[in-house]
Amino acid sequence: MLRCTLIATIAIAALGTARHATAEDVLFEDSFSGTLSTKWQAVGLTEDDYRIRDGGLEMRVQPGRRTRDTPMLMVLLPFNTSETVTASVEVTPLDRFTEPDESAGLFLTDADSREFGAEKRNMNGHLVFSPGNVEFIGEKGDEGDPQQYALKFWPANEVYGPLRIIVRGHYGHFQVGPSPAGKYLNFFHSALRKNEPKRGFCLSASGAPSDREHWVRFDNFRVTRN
């Protein structure tokens, strides 16, 4: 099992650099002003589970840990994982996450389920970016031993910027940023399924306590293709 380490101090090596401007094709964006775009599909959510308020989308955190059937707000878009596509959204808990693995975030989807995520998650009372960054900590020659890797987590402070999923060459990359200083944090990455006929992104929140409501806010959702 991977060892988990909560990083409480800033390590310069984990900071990315500012991105150079490139031509972008906006596939979809929603600033959540007025009404929700009709392109969104509410999967398993009732009308009482989400609302537009003060230029943001507020969503009730669903009770219980996330499963395949956890409700979500999803948008399907015309792209595949061989392209370079970036989705970003700002995520702000309106109530402190108190339950183990209570979380909210952005996910790459197929036609009806999540495949790759970028979240803010409660871990032992700390709000962290999840998944974390896998780091090899062993000696040369031990790269094949799973016990020689640590999964490190970064505190999910709002100053680091929005959550981002970058899809490129059939891989998903979890990134956070830009910060006000133009910096990026790079976290987990993983291979993606290549032949899904439909792709999209969703917003989802899960893990709330069963005896009280928790809400989370999403701002400035945007998907671009380079």
Side-chain angles (χ1 to χ4, degrees), residues 102-136:
E102 186 173 359
S103 62
L106 168 68
F107 297 83
L108 173 72
T109 72
D110 55 22
D112 59 5
S113 64
R114 306 161 188 80
E115 182 178 0
F116 182 88
E119 298 180 277
K120 291 185 176 181
R121 176 162 67 101
N122 177 37
M123 178 179 290
N124 300 324
H126 300 276
L127 191 66
V128 301
F129 295 120
S130 178
N133 186 37
V134 178
E135 180 178 310
F136 178 65

Coordinates of all heavy atoms in Angstrom, one line a residue, residues 102-136:
E102 N -15.0 12.8 2.8 CA -15.9 13.7 2.2 C -15.2 14.6 1.2 O -14.1 15.1 1.4 CB -16.5 14.5 3.3 CG -17.7 15.5 2.8 CD -18.4 16.2 4.0 OE1 -18.0 16.0 5.2 OE2 -19.3 17.0 3.7
S103 N -15.8 14.8 0.0 CA -15.1 15.4 -1.1 C -16.0 16.0 -2.1 O -17.2 15.8 -2.1 CB -14.2 14.3 -1.8 OG -15.0 13.3 -2.4
A104 N -15.4 16.9 -2.9 CA -16.1 17.5 -4.0 C -15.1 17.9 -5.1 O -14.0 18.2 -4.8 CB -16.8 18.8 -3.5
G105 N -15.6 17.7 -6.4 CA -14.6 18.1 -7.4 C -15.1 17.9 -8.8 O -16.4 17.8 -9.0
L106 N -14.2 17.8 -9.7 CA -14.4 17.7 -11.1 C -13.9 16.3 -11.6 O -12.9 15.8 -11.2 CB -13.5 18.8 -11.8 CG -13.3 18.8 -13.3 CD1 -14.6 19.2 -14.0 CD2 -12.2 19.9 -13.6
F107 N -14.7 15.8 -12.6 CA -14.4 14.4 -13.1 C -14.5 14.3 -14.6 O -15.4 14.9 -15.2 CB -15.3 13.4 -12.5 CG -15.2 13.2 -11.0 CD1 -15.9 14.1 -10.1 CD2 -14.4 12.3 -10.4 CE1 -15.8 14.0 -8.8 CE2 -14.3 12.2 -9.0 CZ -15.0 13.0 -8.2
L108 N -13.6 13.6 -15.2 CA -13.7 13.2 -16.6 C -14.7 12.0 -16.6 O -14.6 11.1 -15.8 CB -12.4 12.8 -17.2 CG -12.4 12.1 -18.6 CD1 -12.7 13.2 -19.6 CD2 -11.0 11.5 -18.8
T109 N -15.6 12.0 -17.6 CA -16.6 10.9 -17.6 C -16.6 10.3 -19.0 O -16.1 10.8 -20.0 CB -18.0 11.4 -17.3 OG1 -18.5 12.2 -18.5 CG2 -18.1 12.3 -16.1
D110 N -17.2 9.1 -19.0 CA -17.7 8.5 -20.3 C -19.2 8.9 -20.4 O -19.6 10.0 -19.9 CB -17.4 7.0 -20.3 CG -18.1 6.3 -19.2 OD1 -19.0 6.8 -18.5 OD2 -17.6 5.1 -18.9
A111 N -20.0 8.1 -21.0 CA -21.4 8.5 -21.2 C -22.2 8.6 -19.9 O -23.1 9.3 -19.8 CB -22.1 7.5 -22.2
D112 N -21.8 7.8 -18.9 CA -22.6 7.8 -17.7 C -21.8 7.6 -16.4 O -22.4 7.4 -15.3 CB -23.7 6.8 -17.8 CG -23.1 5.3 -18.0 OD1 -21.9 5.2 -18.0 OD2 -23.9 4.4 -18.2
S113 N -20.5 7.6 -16.4 CA -19.8 7.3 -15.2 C -18.4 8.1 -15.2 O -17.9 8.5 -16.2 CB -19.5 5.8 -15.0 OG -18.7 5.3 -16.0
R114 N -17.8 8.2 -14.0 CA -16.6 8.9 -13.8 C -15.4 8.0 -14.1 O -15.4 6.8 -13.7 CB -16.5 9.4 -12.3 CG -17.6 10.2 -11.9 CD -17.7 10.3 -10.3 NE -18.9 10.9 -9.8 CZ -20.0 10.3 -9.7 NH1 -20.2 9.0 -10.1 NH2 -21.1 10.9 -9.2
E115 N -14.3 8.6 -14.7 CA -13.1 7.8 -14.9 C -11.9 8.4 -14.2 O -11.1 7.7 -13.6 CB -12.8 7.6 -16.4 CG -11.6 6.8 -16.6 CD -11.2 6.5 -18.0 OE1 -11.9 7.0 -18.9 OE2 -10.2 5.9 -18.3
F116 N -11.8 9.7 -14.1 CA -10.6 10.4 -13.6 C -11.1 11.6 -12.9 O -11.9 12.4 -13.4 CB -9.6 10.7 -14.7 CG -8.3 11.4 -14.3 CD1 -7.3 10.6 -13.9 CD2 -8.2 12.7 -14.2 CE1 -6.1 11.1 -13.5 CE2 -7.0 13.3 -13.7 CZ -5.9 12.5 -13.4
G117 N -10.5 11.9 -11.7 CA -11.0 13.0 -10.9 C -10.0 13.9 -10.4 O -8.8 13.6 -10.3
A118 N -10.5 15.1 -9.9 CA -9.6 16.1 -9.3 C -10.5 16.7 -8.2 O -11.6 17.3 -8.5 CB -9.3 17.2 -10.3
E119 N -10.1 16.5 -6.9 CA -11.0 16.8 -5.8 C -10.3 17.6 -4.7 O -9.1 17.6 -4.6 CB -11.5 15.5 -5.2 CG -12.4 14.7 -6.1 CD -12.8 13.4 -5.4 OE1 -12.0 12.5 -5.3 OE2 -14.0 13.4 -4.9
K120 N -11.2 18.2 -3.9 CA -10.8 18.6 -2.5 C -11.5 17.6 -1.6 O -12.7 17.4 -1.7 CB -11.3 20.0 -2.2 CG -10.6 21.1 -3.1 CD -11.0 22.5 -2.6 CE -10.2 23.5 -3.4 NZ -10.5 24.9 -3.0
R121 N -10.6 17.0 -0.7 CA -11.1 15.9 0.1 C -10.6 16.0 1.5 O -9.5 16.5 1.8 CB -10.6 14.6 -0.5 CG -10.9 13.3 0.3 CD -10.7 12.1 -0.5 NE -9.4 11.8 -0.9 CZ -8.6 10.9 -0.3 NH1 -9.1 10.2 0.8 NH2 -7.4 10.7 -0.7
N122 N -11.5 15.6 2.5 CA -11.2 15.6 3.9 C -10.3 14.3 4.2 O -10.7 13.2 3.9 CB -12.4 15.5 4.7 CG -12.1 15.4 6.2 OD1 -11.1 16.0 6.7 ND2 -12.9 14.7 6.9
M123 N -9.1 14.5 4.7 CA -8.2 13.4 5.0 C -7.7 13.7 6.5 O -7.0 14.6 6.7 CB -7.1 13.3 4.1 CG -6.1 12.2 4.5 SD -4.7 12.0 3.3 CE -5.6 11.3 1.9
N124 N -8.3 12.9 7.4 CA -7.8 13.0 8.8 C -8.0 14.5 9.3 O -7.2 15.0 10.1 CB -6.4 12.6 9.0 CG -6.2 11.1 8.6 OD1 -7.1 10.3 8.8 ND2 -5.1 10.8 8.0
G125 N -9.1 15.1 8.9 CA -9.4 16.5 9.4 C -8.7 17.6 8.6 O -8.9 18.7 8.9
H126 N -8.0 17.2 7.6 CA -7.3 18.2 6.7 C -8.0 18.2 5.3 O -8.2 17.1 4.8 CB -5.8 17.9 6.6 CG -5.1 17.9 7.8 ND1 -4.6 19.1 8.4 CD2 -4.7 16.9 8.7 CE1 -4.0 18.8 9.5 NE2 -4.0 17.5 9.7
L127 N -8.2 19.4 4.8 CA -8.7 19.5 3.4 C -7.6 19.4 2.4 O -6.7 20.3 2.5 CB -9.6 20.7 3.2 CG -10.4 20.9 1.9 CD1 -11.5 19.8 1.9 CD2 -11.0 22.3 1.8
V128 N -7.5 18.4 1.6 CA -6.3 18.3 0.7 C -6.8 18.1 -0.8 O -8.0 17.8 -1.0 CB -5.5 17.0 1.1 CG1 -5.0 17.1 2.5 CG2 -6.3 15.7 0.9
F129 N -5.9 18.4 -1.7 CA -6.1 18.1 -3.1 C -5.9 16.6 -3.3 O -4.9 16.0 -2.8 CB -5.1 18.8 -4.0 CG -5.3 20.3 -3.9 CD1 -4.3 21.1 -3.5 CD2 -6.5 20.9 -4.3 CE1 -4.4 22.5 -3.5 CE2 -6.6 22.3 -4.3 CZ -5.6 23.1 -3.9
S130 N -6.8 15.9 -4.0 CA -6.8 14.5 -4.2 C -7.2 14.1 -5.6 O -8.1 14.7 -6.1 CB -7.7 13.8 -3.1 OG -7.8 12.4 -3.3
P131 N -6.6 13.1 -6.2 CA -5.5 12.3 -5.7 C -4.2 13.1 -5.5 O -4.0 14.2 -6.2 CB -5.3 11.3 -6.8 CG -6.5 11.3 -7.7 CD -7.0 12.7 -7.6
G132 N -3.3 12.6 -4.7 CA -2.0 13.3 -4.5 C -1.0 13.0 -5.5 O -1.3 12.5 -6.6
N133 N 0.2 13.3 -5.2 CA 1.3 13.1 -6.1 C 2.1 11.9 -5.7 O 2.6 11.7 -4.6 CB 2.2 14.3 -6.1 CG 3.3 14.2 -7.2 OD1 3.1 13.7 -8.2 ND2 4.5 14.7 -6.8
V134 N 2.3 10.9 -6.6 CA 3.1 9.7 -6.4 C 4.6 10.0 -6.5 O 5.0 10.5 -7.6 CB 2.6 8.6 -7.3 CG1 3.5 7.3 -7.0 CG2 1.1 8.3 -7.1
E135 N 5.3 9.7 -5.5 CA 6.8 10.0 -5.5 C 7.6 8.8 -5.2 O 7.3 8.1 -4.2 CB 7.1 11.1 -4.5 CG 8.5 11.5 -4.5 CD 8.8 12.7 -3.5 OE1 8.0 13.7 -3.6 OE2 9.6 12.6 -2.6
F136 N 8.6 8.5 -6.0 CA 9.5 7.3 -5.7 C 10.4 7.7 -4.6 O 11.1 8.7 -4.7 CB 10.2 6.9 -7.0 CG 11.2 5.8 -6.8 CD1 10.7 4.5 -6.4 CD2 12.6 6.0 -6.9 CE1 11.6 3.5 -6.2 CE2 13.5 5.0 -6.7 CZ 13.0 3.7 -6.4

